[in-house]
Amino acid sequence: WMLDKLSGKYAPKPSAGPHKTRECLPLVILLRNRLKYALTLKEVSLIVMQRLIKVDAKVRTDTNYPVGFMDTVTIDKTNENFRLAYDTKGRFALVRVTPEDAKFKLARVRAYAVGKKGIPYIVTHDGRTLRYPNPDVKANDTVKIDIATGKIVDFAKFEVGNVAMITSG
């Protein structure tokens, strides 16, 4: 999380949510340490409780909400959109994106399965379960999700020649 050793003893732990603890940043670190919109946890709490911060187009009021890879953070008051990605050294980096790019996100397919009554579904890296995917989508592929509707817009196969971002392993 790139916290300096002189700023305090304690670090906020991310709440339980869509991302694993080691693969996310709490919202408080994002707003206080990265974007510098607040100086203290209390100020972050005041900002979040005013319902000004949206993560993937949903208002989040938890200061420790886990923001993970490819999540979109929107601040309506300043008309800013950010996407959490990795830099070349594997650290979290906030990338400023346009409002058009903030309407979708990329997600890695973790599993493909068939549920009750033969309904196929996929599970993504951020905990989403999407029903009735394209039959060509399999595990390890990447899907482009429209955040407003939660539907799959497009997909990219996991095959030789495609550009990929390696996150672990």
Side-chain angles (χ1 to χ4, degrees), residues 1 11-17 24-29 32 41 44 48 60-67:
W1 297 346
K13 181 180 186 290
S15 302
C24 67
L25 277 178
L27 205 52
V28 61
I29 298 289
R32 183 183 66 188
L41 177 74
V44 172
V48 168
R60 301 294 178 186
T61 56
D62 180 14
T63 55
N64 292 329
Y65 184 80
V67 181

Side-chain angles (χ1 to χ4, degrees), residues 17-20 71 105 107-108 110 122-130 145:
H19 298 280
K20 293 181 179 177
D71 279 355
K105 75 182 290 186
R108 180 176 160 264
R110 278 234 170 103
I122 58 172
V123 180
T124 62
H125 80 278
D126 59 347
R128 292 174 189 252
T129 302
L130 304 168
I145 300 172

Side-chain angles (χ1 to χ4, degrees), residues 4-24:
D4 58 327
K5 63 183 181 180
L6 299 175
S7 63
K9 281 190 209 184
Y10 304 105
K13 181 180 186 290
S15 302
H19 298 280
K20 293 181 179 177
T21 306
R22 295 199 174 271
E23 297 173 2
C24 67

Side-chain angles (χ1 to χ4, degrees), residues 51-98:
R51 307 180 71 80
L52 300 174
I53 309 296
K54 291 181 182 174
V55 178
D56 285 343
K58 286 190 178 170
V59 173
R60 301 294 178 186
T61 56
D62 180 14
T63 55
N64 292 329
Y65 184 80
V67 181
F69 181 60
M70 281 293 160
D71 279 355
T72 305
V73 178
T74 306
I75 305 168
D76 288 331
K77 207 163 206 176
T78 59
N79 294 325
E80 289 179 313
N81 300 298
F82 300 97
R83 179 161 285 141
L84 196 65
Y86 293 109
D87 64 3
T88 53
K89 293 187 176 181
R91 300 173 298 207
F92 279 117
L94 275 174
V95 181
R96 198 177 294 266
V97 294
T98 61

